[in-house]
Amino acid sequence: MATTASPSTTTTPRSFLSSPSFSLRASKSNHLRTTRRLPVNVRCASSSPAADTSYTTKVSRNANIAKLQAGYLFPEIARRRAAHLLKHPDAKIISLGIGDTTEPIPEVITNAMAERAHALSTVDGYSGYGAEQGEKKLRAAIAATYYADLGIDETDIFVSDGAKCDISRLQVLFGSKVKIAVQDPSYPAYVDSSVIMGQTDLYQQDVQKYGNIEYMRCSPENGFFPDLSKVPRTDIIFFCSPNNPTGAAASRDQLTQLVKFAKDNGSIIVYDSAYAMYISDDSPKSIFEIPGAKEVALETASFSKYAGFTGVRLGWTVVPKELLFSDGHPVAKDFNRIVCTSFNGASTISQAGGLGCLSPEGLKVGIQCFEIFIVWLLLALLLLIPCPPCRLCKTLSDSTRRTPKSLSTRLSRSDSTSTVPRMPPMCGCTSLAAIPGMSLQRSLRRQTWSLLLAVDLGPVARAL
């Protein structure tokens, strides 16, 4: 896929409100300015039928890959979007494609990468192949930052070029004879990698699902958590929390049920925590917060969404030494063999960025960037949502709008009480009252408003 984009240009407030693509940035003087992003032209080359030739090899095509339907989801969405825009260039499209990051990486992180890159041109700073499992210092920092007091050692951590890549390596580890279960809906890489490995039967057009995969339905009716009493035993359970694409985060009680379910069935949970940093309540950010999880689960995670590393590429997988196959062999030993065979380790420059991210300054800046992202994401969404009158409008219109207090009890913001400017009204009342007009669960509405506004939530809660 190739992308081209025109430079951003500063616009007037009028063009900002009328533009379907915009961002809000803080200038060096701490005043907000608006920038308009021009449409991105996406070119996605899809596979075309092989042209007629006078010669073919005698090698048969991999029958498992032939089972796959169309292309991988996100490039396919990009291809169809580009095709639609060619026919309808004025169309306003809300893309449900890949969720990429858009904002610059903080300098404390990029400076660390730049220093490592420059060091490679010196005799003392040059390094070649590194440890396939990742640099010891980074593995220790990950263990101390995300798994303190959870019994996870740095030797349990395998640094990689991203969670998505590790998912495929895990499929190679488990082989073709296992049966998997996935949330429905779920991240498409779980199913597609299972198909490629030969774990599934053919695609069933009538139900639009592959045979020999257990699809665990997650919907509003069951609180986006599967009814495990109706799920048959499988060898591997892929579980993502917060879920991609629903965003639902499993509670501590729900994950306790999941761990017990896996232990009762002798299954292994592949827990995808790529979006764990977006959890702001007391829901677990790691499966290892649940007692007994180290015996039935491994966890894959990523710097992509938290640190903007979608292009830099850096993640990790935790395989506890307590996790054993049915014959008593440690899963970690076999995963280490897979890693050493198929991977030469993450880029040393990317790993330097990871260390910068996990430094005290990097953590502080990361929390601040995350909070700012949440605030402006919500404000941007509110500008696009019609605002029907509701009881909350008067409550909010009389309140002082302020940025949220820190989402972390460990790190505090020096500007946590800076005033958020009042946005232009919509539908006759403040645009900040748009969310309650949506048919969202009350808990989600309450959490959204508490995140967006640092005001006394007593009257707000009563209004909801």
Side-chain angles (χ1 to χ4, degrees):
M1 181 192 305
T3 62
T4 59
S6 302
S8 298
T9 56
T10 303
T11 64
T12 64
R14 180 181 181 85
S15 62
F16 163 75
L17 289 175
S18 62
S19 171
S21 175
F22 61 87
S23 67
L24 295 171
R25 299 175 182 269
S27 66
K28 292 183 179 179
S29 61
N30 291 326
H31 293 291
L32 293 172
R33 61 183 175 85
T34 61
T35 60
R36 182 178 186 273
R37 289 186 177 152
L38 299 180
V40 176
N41 297 320
V42 179
R43 303 185 187 95
C44 181
S46 59
S47 299
S48 58
D52 291 337
T53 63
S54 58
Y55 175 81
T56 61
T57 70
K58 295 182 180 179
V59 179
S60 300
R61 184 188 180 195
N62 186 331
N64 295 319
I65 295 181
K67 296 177 188 176
L68 294 171
Q69 303 296 301
Y72 184 66
L73 178 63
F74 299 131
E76 182 67 14
I77 290 175
R79 183 188 68 79
R80 296 187 186 189
R81 178 180 182 273
H84 184 80
L85 284 174
L86 284 176
K87 294 181 179 179
H88 310 281
D90 296 328
K92 308 300 182 184
I93 297 177
I94 298 176
S95 176
L96 298 181
I98 192 168
D100 200 358
T101 51
T102 60
E103 298 306 302
I105 299 173
E107 287 188 0
V108 63
I109 300 173
T110 55
N111 285 343
M113 291 191 285
E115 290 175 8
R116 180 70 67 89
H118 179 72
L120 293 174
S121 63
T122 68
V123 173
D124 293 336
Y126 175 77
S127 62
Y129 290 120
E132 291 86 353
Q133 304 82 6
E135 296 179 5
K136 178 179 176 63
K137 189 174 181 180
L138 178 57
R139 297 168 78 189
I142 292 172
T145 303
Y146 299 115
Y147 303 101
D149 303 323
L150 296 181
I152 297 298
D153 188 74
E154 64 183 70
T155 58
D156 298 328
I157 295 171
F158 296 79
V159 177
S160 71
D161 51 346
K164 181 179 180 182
C165 302
D166 272 347
I167 289 168
S168 290
R169 295 186 188 106
L170 289 168
Q171 291 284 30
V172 173
L173 169 71
F174 296 131
S176 60
K177 303 300 182 183
V178 299
K179 181 175 181 178
I180 74 165
V182 297
Q183 293 159 291
D184 182 20
S186 68
Y187 183 46
Y190 310 143
V191 170
D192 283 12
S193 60
S194 179
V195 174
I196 292 172
M197 278 301 301
Q199 299 169 358
T200 72
D201 295 333
L202 294 175
Y203 187 74
Q204 302 168 357
Q205 292 288 351
D206 54 340
V207 294
Q208 297 190 357
K209 295 178 180 178
Y210 289 95
N212 203 43
I213 289 183
E214 187 62 37
Y215 292 83
M216 303 182 295
R217 185 61 182 165
C218 298
S219 64
E221 289 72 27
N222 61 14
F224 296 101
F225 187 81
D227 183 352
L228 297 177
S229 66
K230 298 180 180 178
V231 177
R233 182 200 177 276
T234 62
D235 299 294
I236 310 298
I237 303 170
F238 282 94
F239 197 91
C240 182
S241 179
N243 174 265
N244 179 359
T246 67
S251 67
R252 191 170 303 275
D253 179 65
Q254 289 172 333
L255 290 183
T256 299
Q257 295 177 42
L258 181 65
V259 168
K260 183 179 184 302
F261 177 77
K263 186 167 289 188
D264 290 345
N265 288 283
S267 305
I268 293 177
I269 301 168
V270 177
Y271 189 79
D272 188 340
S273 62
Y275 296 89
M277 296 305 160
Y278 290 88
I279 295 176
S280 59
D281 60 13
D282 61 351
S283 298
K285 292 184 177 180
S286 169
I287 189 68
F288 302 121
E289 294 183 36
I290 307 303
K294 287 184 289 185
E295 298 174 355
V296 294
L298 54 84
E299 180 170 299
T300 183
S302 172
F303 285 96
S304 288
K305 304 303 186 292
Y306 178 59
F309 273 31
T310 52
V312 175
R313 307 306 306 152
L314 191 68
W316 70 90
T317 290
V318 182
V319 188
K321 58 183 66 69
E322 293 87 348
L323 184 62
L324 307 175
F325 285 117
S326 59
D327 63 356
H329 189 80
V331 174
K333 284 191 175 182
D334 281 2
F335 187 62
N336 184 67
R337 185 67 171 85
I338 295 294
V339 168
C340 292
T341 300
S342 61
F343 186 52
N344 279 327
S347 163
T348 56
I349 298 174
S350 298
Q351 292 189 71
L355 284 168
C357 181
L358 299 181
S359 67
E361 184 182 358
L363 287 170
K364 181 177 180 180
V365 171
I367 291 293
Q368 291 177 359
C369 290
F370 171 71
E371 292 175 342
I372 293 171
F373 163 76
I374 290 294
V375 170
W376 292 118
L377 173 62
L378 291 172
L379 290 174
L381 290 173
L382 292 172
L383 285 173
L384 301 177
I385 300 171
C387 177
C390 65
R391 289 181 294 166
L392 198 57
C393 289
K394 186 177 187 303
T395 302
L396 294 177
S397 63
D398 295 337
S399 301
T400 301
R401 289 147 178 79
R402 298 186 182 275
T403 55
K405 295 179 180 178
S406 177
L407 301 179
S408 170
T409 57
R410 296 171 297 174
L411 300 171
S412 61
R413 292 184 55 185
S414 59
D415 62 341
S416 61
T417 58
S418 58
T419 301
V420 175
R422 187 187 300 268
M423 302 305 293
M426 298 180 67
C427 302
C429 65
T430 172
S431 62
L432 290 176
I435 280 186
M438 300 172 63
S439 56
L440 300 176
Q441 294 180 356
R442 294 177 64 183
S443 60
L444 177 60
R445 295 198 328 226
R446 193 168 299 177
Q447 181 181 1
T448 300
W449 281 110
S450 65
L451 180 65
L452 182 60
L453 302 173
V455 297
D456 179 9
L457 290 183
V460 175
R462 288 191 291 273
L464 289 174

